[in-house]
Amino acid sequence: MSLSSSLIARAPLVSRIIAAIFGGYGLASLAAVALTALPGHPSEAVLIGMMLSFVVYTCAVIWVFAARSAWRAWAGLLITAAPLALIVWTLVTPVKP
């Protein structure tokens, strides 16, 4: 087995690891920020968002390694992140100093 064929054979695993680490982090961050749009006191919304982001990150990592292929893992992360990004973009207002 040559070096290039070895790298090609390991590419799906490397892609899944990158998806789990960075994609899961991005999804968890989006979920945390999106949950700040919840009604109620802002500090409680931030606390709920932060706590649930750990659950979202764990579920994202499980999803990435349970998907049939690396492409499906990335697609699942992107499909889940799209509505969260839309919520963040439309509902969450930036804090003005």
Side-chain angles (χ1 to χ4, degrees):
M1 182 180 261
S2 68
L3 181 62
S4 63
S5 65
S6 175
L7 289 175
I8 291 172
R10 291 183 183 170
L13 177 62
V14 172
S15 177
R16 285 178 192 254
I17 291 170
I18 291 171
I21 294 171
F22 298 109
Y25 179 79
L27 188 64
S29 298
L30 277 174
V33 174
L35 288 172
T36 60
L38 289 174
H41 198 270
S43 63
E44 292 176 356
V46 169
L47 185 62
I48 291 171
M50 291 297 294
M51 296 304 286
L52 287 179
S53 70
F54 292 109
V55 175
V56 170
Y57 188 80
T58 303
C59 290
V61 170
I62 290 171
W63 161 253
V64 164
F65 287 102
R68 288 185 178 197
S69 68
W71 289 108
R72 286 186 185 218
W74 279 106
L77 289 176
L78 292 175
I79 289 171
T80 308
L84 292 172
L86 185 64
I87 290 170
V88 168
W89 192 7
T90 58
L91 296 180
V92 176
T93 58
V95 177
K96 295 179 182 174

